[in-house]
Amino acid sequence: PAQIGFTPKNEILVTIKQNKGGPPDFDNDTGSLNLYEVYPENGTIGHLIQTDLKSLNRTQDGDLPFSFTFDSSDNVLLVEPALAGSFQNGVVSVIENVSGDPVTISSEATTEASASCWIQYNPTSSCVYITNNVEGTISSFFQDDQGELFFVSNSSSALNAPTDMIQSLEYKFLYALSTGHTDGSGQPSIYVYEMTFDCGLKFVQRIEDGLESETEREDTAGVVNGYVGIALYTSH
């Protein structure tokens, strides 16, 4: 499993990168979307709806469902880091009716970058942003009124192995966490960008405060510095 989250209908969605586990087996295995009903009276979950990604009619041969978010129409925006059995290109898909029958993919686009991981959707501009860990970039897309995705650009090439990212509450700024593995420095950073309405990113700041490097940490055991997630905290 790669990610868990609530849908706009208060269901729980889990992405399974590969149902049988183990190393990637693009020929004999597939990932899935697992949707669970939540019973509000006691908080338990059940009634699993499992969608095998290879069972869907697709224009792109994506593999390994990874991260997701939702667009303004409550459709799933899904990132898959591998395309046609290769990690050299990622895929982002618009999945409609994930809790119904049939589940359909209405739009797909490639990230034109490798190891595509985490995704954010900006509802004020209909822009989609995806981090590409190996190439150190963020892919941006525009989603039109019909839900179609259009690739815009791969920007911020000096991002240095980005992992997770988060938007500000007013959807003006994007904060991307990087591990510092692209250049071998092992120095994690947070990059701040202003999001523009043409789905571009304008650099604002890079900060290392409070983020120890691999040299400063005694033992990371190969777990990319331990810096893998970022969240927005609001104080009331």
Side-chain angles (χ1 to χ4, degrees):
Q3 184 180 347
I4 184 172
F6 276 97
T7 73
K9 295 182 179 180
N10 203 38
E11 303 148 318
I12 286 181
L13 181 63
V14 177
T15 48
I16 309 294
K17 291 185 290 184
Q18 191 163 262
N19 291 331
K20 296 179 182 178
D25 184 353
F26 299 116
D27 295 324
N28 301 307
D29 201 0
T30 183
S32 65
L33 300 178
N34 286 12
L35 191 75
Y36 300 89
E37 184 177 352
V38 179
Y39 306 115
E41 63 274 8
N42 57 18
T44 60
I45 62 176
H47 186 60
L48 167 66
I49 299 175
Q50 187 173 52
T51 301
D52 184 325
L53 265 292
K54 287 193 175 180
S55 69
L56 302 178
N57 185 22
R58 313 195 61 176
T59 59
Q60 303 288 343
D61 188 13
D63 290 294
L64 305 178
F66 193 76
S67 69
F68 62 87
T69 188
F70 297 89
D71 64 17
S72 296
S73 299
D74 294 344
N75 298 316
V76 177
L77 297 173
L78 176 70
V79 175
E80 297 166 86
L83 170 65
S86 170
F87 286 98
Q88 297 305 308
N89 215 334
V91 181
V92 56
S93 305
V94 180
I95 300 180
E96 297 182 355
N97 200 30
V98 69
S99 59
D101 186 17
V103 179
T104 59
I105 293 181
S106 60
S107 179
E108 293 181 282
T110 63
T111 62
E112 300 187 17
S114 54
S116 304
C117 293
W118 297 103
I119 184 169
Q120 289 285 317
Y121 171 77
N122 187 326
T124 67
S125 60
S126 298
C127 296
V128 178
Y129 298 95
I130 298 171
T131 56
N132 305 304
N133 182 261
V134 171
E135 296 186 12
T137 61
I138 296 178
S139 297
S140 62
F141 301 81
F142 174 71
Q143 187 180 37
D144 68 13
D145 292 340
Q146 286 71 48
E148 190 80 12
L149 290 171
F150 296 91
F151 176 80
V152 176
S153 68
N154 277 330
S155 59
S156 312
S157 58
L159 209 56
N160 209 356
T163 52
D164 202 6
M165 58 182 169
I166 193 72
Q167 298 177 83
S168 60
L169 288 177
E170 74 279 12
Y171 300 107
K172 183 177 180 180
F173 297 102
L174 183 71
Y175 302 86
L177 176 67
S178 75
T179 66
H181 279 67
T182 299
D183 65 5
S185 68
Q187 175 57 60
S189 303
I190 298 174
Y191 291 80
V192 184
Y193 297 95
E194 181 179 354
M195 295 177 285
T196 60
F197 273 86
D198 59 358
C199 301
L201 293 173
K202 180 182 178 182
F203 178 78
V204 175
Q205 181 190 27
R206 173 178 177 252
I207 188 170
E208 302 173 359
D209 295 10
L211 304 174
E212 293 184 338
S213 69
E214 285 193 355
T215 302
E216 294 168 319
R217 297 182 60 177
E218 292 182 2
D219 183 15
T220 62
V223 190
V224 290
N225 253 330
Y227 297 103
V228 293
I230 187 171
L232 187 67
Y233 172 76
T234 58
S235 178
H236 297 284

